[in-house]
Amino acid sequence: MIRKFRYRLRSPLGGPAADLSARTVPPGEAVARSVVIHRGVRLLLPEVGLHREDLAWLSFVVALRAEELRARCPEGVYLEIVSLDFPLSDYRPEAAALALDGWLRAEFDLPDTGISCSYAGGADPYAFVWGGAEPPVRPTERMEALNDTSENRP
């Protein structure tokens, strides 16, 4: 069954937001586009594909939860991202991870591990917390990418 999770952080500037639709797929079903995250835990990509930063953040949060997922699904689990939508005006790829974490908590009854976002103000107005884990993209790398005017920019 496809389940949708809507992540929203309201702030004076709008705030990061993402709508994620996903479902679990029994291991062994045909897998065309997938990323192996951990023993028996795969992330299946949507038909339309994903931006590389969204994929990095989605993979990151699944990796953070991989041991818990394996404990609940010893035979393995495939997580299919059906769609990932977000308002372009408030796009932050980190919101994909926050939406998937919310989806995983609802789908598998997982505890909160401290993954969150809050409004902090300043030049980079949002403070992300990843439960003590090191994020896949550091804020300085993101700012450098945003300032890149070359044709290689995403």
Side-chain angles (χ1 to χ4, degrees), residues 115-133:
I115 295 171
S116 66
C117 179
S118 61
Y119 177 76
D124 189 6
Y126 301 104
F128 294 91
V129 177
W130 303 109

Side-chain angles (χ1 to χ4, degrees), residues 74-92:
E75 71 286 352
V77 63
Y78 294 179
L79 308 169
E80 180 181 14
I81 305 302
V82 176
S83 66
L84 176 63
D85 300 304
F86 41 82
L88 292 177
S89 61
D90 292 323
Y91 173 73
R92 290 291 299 253

Side-chain angles (χ1 to χ4, degrees), residues 8-21:
R8 299 287 184 275
L9 174 70
R10 303 287 181 217
S11 78
L13 302 177
D19 294 342
L20 179 123
S21 293

Side-chain angles (χ1 to χ4, degrees), residues 12 24 26 31-32 44 46 53 57 64 105 110 114 122 138 150:
T24 59
V31 180
L44 284 62
E53 280 192 67
W57 284 103
L64 290 178
R105 284 187 289 132
L110 298 177
R138 290 180 177 74
S150 72

Side-chain angles (χ1 to χ4, degrees), residues 14-139:
D19 294 342
L20 179 123
S21 293
R23 69 183 182 117
T24 59
V25 176
E29 281 193 14
V31 180
R33 295 164 310 280
S34 69
V35 176
V36 177
I37 304 295
H38 185 68
R39 296 181 217 130
V41 179
R42 285 182 183 238
L43 184 61
L44 284 62
L45 309 180
E47 296 274 332
V48 296
L50 288 172
H51 186 275
R52 67 179 183 221
E53 280 192 67
D54 295 329
L55 178 57
W57 284 103
L58 292 170
S59 298
F60 168 71
V61 82
V62 173
L64 290 178
R65 297 293 199 156
E67 291 293 331
E68 294 168 294
L69 293 170
R70 284 288 293 167
R72 285 187 167 68
C73 305
E75 71 286 352
V77 63
Y78 294 179
L79 308 169
E80 180 181 14
I81 305 302
V82 176
S83 66
L84 176 63
D85 300 304
F86 41 82
L88 292 177
S89 61
D90 292 323
Y91 173 73
R92 290 291 299 253
E94 296 94 330
L98 293 163
L100 183 54
D101 184 62
W103 185 90
L104 289 168
R105 284 187 289 132
E107 185 72 15
F108 294 97
D109 192 31
L110 298 177
D112 185 345
T113 60
I115 295 171
S116 66
C117 179
S118 61
Y119 177 76
D124 189 6
Y126 301 104
F128 294 91
V129 177
W130 303 109
E134 193 66 31
V137 179
R138 290 180 177 74

